[in-house]
Amino acid sequence: GQNIDQPTEMTATEGAIVQINCTYQTSGFNGLFWYQQHAGEAPTFLSYNVLDGLEEKGRFSSFLSRSKGYSYLLLKELQMKDSASYLCAVREHTGRRALTFGSGTRLQVQP
Amino acid sequence: SAVISQKPSRDICQRGTSLTIQCQVDSQVTMMFWYRQQPGQSLTLIATANQGSEATYESGFVIDKFPISRPNLTFSTLTVSNMSPEDSSIYLCSVEVVGYYGYTFGSGTRLTVV
């Protein structure tokens, strides 16, 4: 089976840095994805990791450790507009292209 | 990435009726998927839409309840059949685009069954 865990909610302050963790246990692994979803909107793609290490993209970075089944999304210089849900998703293997999503982390950025 | 047109954006339906949701993509895609998102919840995969053949359904979802068509590479429909209030949810189309490693989502269909 599959198990993808994320914290349910997090709160952070504008201008600060926040790290959202994701742990996964899946039968296979072919990539980990992070999505941002504002209330009432569709998820939008943030990052993709398939090899161990850090991927940086502006204020957002994502890290992967395959041996530990662990990833995190790092958001720097938080802005109010970053208040959203952040979804971690895993693709198990090349034969199964669909993503399996974690339950999502609702981030509230406060002034 | 790709631009997805998903219709309708919302609907209120009577129980026992059916609703067909359309997903049209403007780019070449390899895979198309249908997800459901209950209020405040994450995304659950309903099925993978296969071009020219029967969709591949996830556990808990059956073809009689959620028939899916994909007549060509860029278009798919999902029908929610014989609806009950428990089917009230957001339904999302998602695609994997050729040459792009991020999956793109349609804007979703917010369905309310009364």
Side-chain angles (χ1 to χ4, degrees), chain A residues 85-100:
Chain A
S85 289
Y86 291 85
L87 308 174
C88 171
V90 172
R91 183 172 60 203
E92 282 190 89
H93 54 78
T94 56
R96 176 181 165 84
R97 305 299 294 179
L99 300 182
T100 301

Side-chain angles (χ1 to χ4, degrees), chain B residues 46-95:
Chain B
I46 298 172
T48 300
N50 300 309
Q51 186 204 353
S53 64
E54 192 172 291
T56 304
Y57 289 85
E58 297 299 299
S59 176
F61 297 96
V62 295
I63 187 171
D64 290 345
K65 175 68 175 177
F66 298 100
I68 289 171
S69 77
R70 188 180 174 191
N72 57 56
L73 284 174
T74 60
F75 182 78
S76 178
T77 65
L78 167 73
T79 299
V80 186
S81 303
N82 188 25
M83 288 184 285
S84 67
E86 292 71 35
D87 295 320
S88 296
S89 189
I90 298 171
Y91 293 85
L92 292 143
C93 166
S94 176
V95 301

Side-chain angles (χ1 to χ4, degrees), chain B residues 2-3 6 8 11 17 19 37 41 48 55 65 74 98 100-101 104:
Chain B
V3 176
Q6 185 174 339
D11 208 340
T17 63
L19 176 72
Q37 187 172 31
Q41 304 293 316
T48 300
K65 175 68 175 177
T74 60
V98 173
Y100 180 69
Y101 50 70
T104 304

Side-chain angles (χ1 to χ4, degrees), chain A residues 6 33 35 37 39-45 47-48 57 87-88 91 96-104 106, chain B residues 30-31 33 35 37 40-45 48 58 90 92 94 96 100-108 110:
Chain A
Q6 304 176 234
F33 298 74
Y35 280 81
Q37 186 177 29
E41 298 182 10
T44 56
F45 171 72
S47 70
Y48 165 69
K57 193 186 293 185
L87 308 174
C88 171
R91 183 172 60 203
R96 176 181 165 84
R97 305 299 294 179
L99 300 182
T100 301
F101 283 83
S103 54
R106 192 175 304 116
Chain B
T30 51
M31 307 293 291
F33 310 96
Y35 287 85
Q37 187 172 31
Q41 304 293 316
S42 189
L43 283 74
T44 300
L45 180 68
T48 300
E58 297 299 299
I90 298 171
L92 292 143
S94 176
E96 183 183 18
Y100 180 69
Y101 50 70
Y103 294 64
T104 304
F105 285 82
S107 54
R110 184 180 296 270

